[in-house]
Amino acid sequence: METNVGGLDRTGRIAIGILLIAAGALALAGYWGIGLGVGVIAVLVGAILLVTGTTRKCPVNQAVGIDTSE
């Protein structure tokens, strides 16, 4: 798979991914009372965004034909 994530899209994915992982970890540790389920979902979505941002490859972008790496 060729890279299809770049520029502002990449930066946003990494930043939001880190924030979601941190928020989810706080929820799972009990420091933030938003619930265990929401904490797990936040960590998972954050991890997906972080991985797609750092690898610059997103299968959803490829499926719909979006390329922000140019």
Side-chain angles (χ1 to χ4, degrees):
M1 178 190 301
E2 293 182 26
T3 61
N4 59 9
V5 176
L8 187 59
D9 184 21
R10 180 178 186 211
T11 304
R13 286 173 188 255
I14 292 171
I16 294 170
I18 291 170
L19 289 174
L20 282 175
I21 290 171
L26 287 173
L28 291 174
Y31 292 112
W32 193 18
I34 61 172
L36 227 53
V38 175
V40 169
I41 291 170
V43 169
L44 290 175
V45 171
I48 290 168
L49 288 174
L50 189 59
V51 168
T52 58
T54 56
T55 62
R56 300 181 64 191
K57 298 175 185 178
C58 178
V60 175
N61 280 8
Q62 184 181 17
V64 296
I66 297 173
D67 186 357
T68 62
S69 65
E70 297 175 348

